[in-house]
């Protein structure tokens, strides 16, 4: 596949890396010479200096031969115009744009993004996607990562094992012997810098990040057994009243039963948030002020969500919140180098908006009928859910006899309201939703398992 990525920022580089790693021909466009120099030095991609919405620049980037254009510059307008130019002048088949301004996304203007108007096939809103990711963490407070598949019937959880975990030192085989009715599949383990799919006889060690798949109805029990149960969240403090902070606060208001307080350093933004929120108490002040934290109720909060536009403020606010007595702290980060500081600083969850956005974009460009995707382990692995069509090699195979490539594990099979795990008896049928966990290098093989029949077209 030939792809053009407009924007050499963190998201653009993340998408280019993922596409190039799989052998696609990628061209990155950006007006900054230094950013283009950096990306072509770091990745096996071609670089073009110029504005991504200019016809001559897209022509030099090869838009006439491209299968895909992904526009993720810092300007919504540039992204939308790039898609328009790619469609009108070069007939680029697939066009994806990042749009951050919420005014464009108002349901009242639902016809804006259509072939007859602005021909954008997929609109990505990082703030909304990150907000949804944060809300998933609110619902499963004991997990450092959560992804929902099959309309909420199945969840993938990332669980950190510590020395006090009841299952530390046990193998998957022993786990199932101790809890024979436990509806869970252990699909991946990240140990230090290595992510692998464990065999039934491999022990789960303290310090491991373990990825498991379970039915949503069994999440609480899985968290209990892995020693990651947490108090029900009734009090939340949000630091930062940007789009993400306000989105999270509004969603928590609608959920009911949760008291929300929001802290914002900008008086203007605090006043705007107070007008948009009905039940949330909005405080104007510095999220690094210990006195204000106590006034906001941080010592009694089950969760503090730090989502300002400054990584360092977010991480320091999270550390201070834990010191003040908050049960858990979540921090938004954009700089990948900070990920290694999560455990030493005692921050429970880090949310990387780049990884969230990349996961959503990759879902739409994967070959085959992919209906869900989550990038995991800093890009080392992916969880993919796809529909098994009649031509899929999966159809007709018994769950416990699947011959999957090394580095690929079965998470679950969903058929209507029924969820099947690897330990269950049964065969994969046509149109089943199949959730697989795999090392990133094996993505092409997984796509082959979900290959589309000619009849589909």
């Amino acid at each position: 596949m030939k792809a053009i990525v407009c924007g050499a920022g963190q998201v653009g580089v993340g998408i280019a890396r993922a596409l190039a790693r799989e052998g696609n021909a990628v061209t990155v466009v950006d007006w900054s010479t230094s950013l283009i120099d950096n990306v072509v030095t770091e990745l096996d991609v071609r670089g073009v200096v110029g504005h991504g919405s200019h016809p001559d620049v897209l022509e030099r980037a090869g838009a006439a031969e491209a299968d895909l254009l992904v526009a993720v510059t810092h300007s919504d307008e540039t992204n939308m115009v790039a898609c328009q130019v790619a469609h009108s002048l070069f007939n680029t088949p697939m066009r994806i744009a990042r749009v951050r301004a919420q005014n464009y996304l108002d349901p009242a203007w639902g016809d804006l993004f259509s072939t007859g108007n602005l021909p954008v096939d997929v609109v990505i809103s990082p703030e909304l996607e990150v907000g949804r990711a944060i809300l998933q963490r609110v619902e499963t407070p004991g997990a450092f990562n959560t992804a929902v598949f099959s309309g909420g019937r199945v969840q993938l959880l990332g669980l950190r094992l510590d020395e006090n975990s009841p299952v530390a030192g046990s193998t998957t085989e022993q786990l199932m012997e101790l809890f024979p009715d436990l509806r869970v599949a252990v699909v991946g383990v990240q140990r230090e810098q290595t992510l692998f799919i464990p065999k039934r006889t491999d022990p789960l060690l303290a310090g491991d990040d373990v990825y498991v798949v379970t039915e949503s109805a069994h999440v609480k029990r899985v968290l209990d057994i892995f020693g990651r149960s947490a108090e029900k969240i009734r009090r939340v403090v949000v630091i930062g009243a940007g789009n993400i902070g306000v989105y999270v606060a509004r969603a928590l208001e609608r959920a009911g039963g949760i008291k929300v307080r929001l802290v914002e350093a900008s008086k203007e933004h605090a006043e705007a948030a107070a007008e948009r929120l009905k039940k949330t108490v909005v405080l104007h002040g510095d999220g690094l002020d210990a006195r204000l934290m106590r006034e906001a109720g941080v010592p009694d909060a089950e969760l503090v969500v730090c989502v300002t536009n400054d990584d360092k403020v977010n991480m320091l606010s999270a550390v201070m919140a834990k010191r003040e007595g908050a049960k858990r702290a979540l921090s938004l980060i954009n700089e990948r180098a900070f990920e290694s500081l999560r455990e030493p600083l005692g921050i429970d969850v880090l949310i990387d908006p780049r990884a969230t956005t990349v996961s959503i974009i990759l879902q739409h460009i994967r070959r085959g009928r992919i209906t869900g995707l989550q990038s995991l382990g800093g890009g080392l692995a992916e969880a993919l859910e796809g529909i098994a069509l009649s031509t899929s090699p999966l159809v007709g195979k018994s769950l416990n006899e699947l011959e999957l490539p090394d580095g690929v594990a079965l998470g679950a099979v969903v058929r209507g309201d029924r969820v099947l795990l690897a330990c269950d008896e049964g065969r994969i049928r046509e149109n089943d939703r199949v959730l697989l966990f795999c090392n990133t290098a094996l993505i092409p093989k997984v796509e082959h398992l979900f290959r589309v029949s000619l009849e589909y077209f």
Side-chain angles (χ1 to χ4, degrees):
M1 179 174 67
K2 295 181 179 180
I4 298 173
V5 178
C6 295
Q10 292 179 334
V11 172
V13 171
I15 296 166
R17 177 183 290 108
L19 293 174
R21 185 168 48 206
E22 297 167 21
N24 298 296
V26 182
T27 299
V28 180
V29 177
D30 199 285
W31 64 268
S32 169
T33 302
S34 60
L35 288 179
I36 290 296
D37 287 343
N38 289 339
V39 74
V40 298
T41 300
E42 180 184 353
L43 306 176
D44 183 17
V45 300
R46 176 171 167 254
V48 172
V49 176
H51 287 272
S53 60
H54 290 185
D56 62 318
V57 174
L58 289 180
E59 183 180 41
R60 284 192 285 123
E65 296 81 33
D67 303 294
L68 167 71
L69 179 135
V70 181
V72 287
T73 74
H74 292 294
S75 167
D76 291 349
E77 290 71 23
T78 297
N79 297 338
M80 292 186 286
V81 173
C83 290
Q84 179 73 70
V85 172
H87 168 74
S88 300
L89 299 183
F90 302 108
N91 290 318
T92 306
M94 182 74 170
R95 302 162 302 275
I96 299 176
R98 177 172 69 175
V99 178
R100 306 182 70 174
Q102 299 304 298
N103 288 337
Y104 286 122
L105 306 177
D106 192 309
W109 323 123
D111 293 333
L112 176 62
F113 299 105
S114 62
T115 301
N117 296 310
L118 280 173
V120 181
D121 297 298
V122 180
V123 177
I124 303 295
S125 172
E127 285 78 10
L128 294 183
E129 299 301 340
V130 170
R132 293 185 183 114
I134 291 173
L135 292 173
Q136 289 175 7
R137 306 302 196 278
V138 171
E139 294 174 2
T140 53
F144 68 83
N145 203 333
T146 306
V148 177
F149 296 93
S150 295
R153 297 180 184 87
V154 174
Q155 291 193 35
L156 182 145
L157 306 174
L159 306 172
R160 165 59 62 94
L161 295 191
D162 56 31
E163 295 179 353
N164 298 321
S165 173
V167 302
S170 301
T171 66
T172 303
E173 194 170 51
Q174 292 169 335
L175 178 65
M176 300 315 296
E177 289 175 357
L178 288 171
F179 306 99
D181 60 339
L182 182 63
R183 303 287 295 164
V184 67
V186 180
V187 293
V189 173
Q190 185 165 2
R191 186 172 296 160
E192 297 179 349
Q193 301 302 315
T194 303
L195 195 151
F196 63 95
I197 293 174
K199 299 177 182 177
R200 291 177 61 85
T201 55
D202 288 338
L204 305 177
L205 305 178
D208 285 350
D209 285 340
V210 180
Y211 293 96
V212 304
V213 174
T214 186
E215 295 182 58
S216 295
H218 293 255
V219 166
K220 185 179 185 303
R221 185 163 184 241
V222 170
L223 292 174
D224 289 341
I225 289 174
F226 277 79
R228 304 307 305 175
S229 59
E231 294 183 44
K232 184 177 179 180
I233 293 178
R234 294 183 175 86
R235 295 171 291 269
V236 176
V237 177
V238 180
I239 310 294
N243 286 334
I244 296 175
V246 172
Y247 176 87
V248 171
R250 290 180 68 180
L252 293 176
E253 284 183 345
R254 290 193 294 269
I258 300 176
K259 295 181 179 179
V260 186
R261 295 194 175 188
L262 188 150
V263 176
E264 169 56 45
S266 164
K267 184 178 180 181
E268 179 182 356
H269 289 169
E271 291 175 346
E275 291 180 2
R276 296 176 62 185
L277 299 170
K278 298 178 180 179
K279 302 177 182 178
T280 300
V281 175
V282 180
L283 302 176
H284 170 227
D286 190 348
L288 296 176
D289 184 335
R291 180 192 59 79
L292 184 62
M293 278 196 165
R294 288 190 285 272
E295 182 181 344
V298 166
D300 299 319
E302 285 83 22
L303 178 66
V304 175
V305 178
C306 306
V307 287
T308 76
N309 59 3
D310 188 314
D311 285 0
K312 295 177 182 177
V313 170
N314 290 338
M315 297 188 75
L316 287 174
S317 295
V319 172
M320 290 181 64
K322 293 295 290 287
R323 188 183 66 184
E324 290 293 330
K327 303 297 185 298
R328 294 176 63 79
L330 180 153
S331 175
L332 184 74
I333 64 162
N334 290 280
E335 181 54 58
R336 177 173 288 183
F338 290 151
E339 291 179 358
S340 61
L341 298 177
R342 175 175 72 89
E343 189 172 3
L345 293 178
I347 300 173
D348 299 286
V349 178
L350 294 180
I351 296 285
D352 182 353
R354 178 193 61 249
T356 301
T357 304
V358 169
S359 292
I360 298 298
I361 291 175
L362 289 178
Q363 175 183 333
H364 291 283
I365 63 180
R366 289 282 182 230
R367 297 180 181 89
R369 294 288 302 278
I370 304 300
T371 56
L373 184 150
Q374 180 68 40
S375 180
L376 303 164
L380 295 176
E382 286 187 10
L384 296 99
E385 179 189 73
I387 297 176
L389 299 178
S390 59
T391 52
S392 169
L394 298 170
V395 173
K397 299 295 177 61
S398 172
L399 297 186
N400 54 15
E401 296 177 354
L402 277 179
E403 296 180 358
L404 297 173
D406 290 339
V408 180
L410 174 66
V413 175
V414 179
R415 183 181 305 143
D417 292 330
R418 187 182 181 192
V419 177
L420 302 174
L421 300 179
C423 58
D424 294 324
E425 295 184 0
R427 295 181 182 275
I428 296 176
R429 301 178 185 173
E430 183 180 351
N431 294 324
D432 282 352
R433 290 176 179 257
V434 182
L435 175 61
L436 298 176
F437 180 96
C438 69
N439 293 327
T440 305
L442 298 173
I443 292 299
K445 292 186 177 181
V446 173
E447 289 179 328
H448 174 74
L449 296 175
F450 295 116
R451 66 188 179 198
V452 180
S453 63
L454 293 176
E455 289 78 5
Y456 175 71
F457 297 100

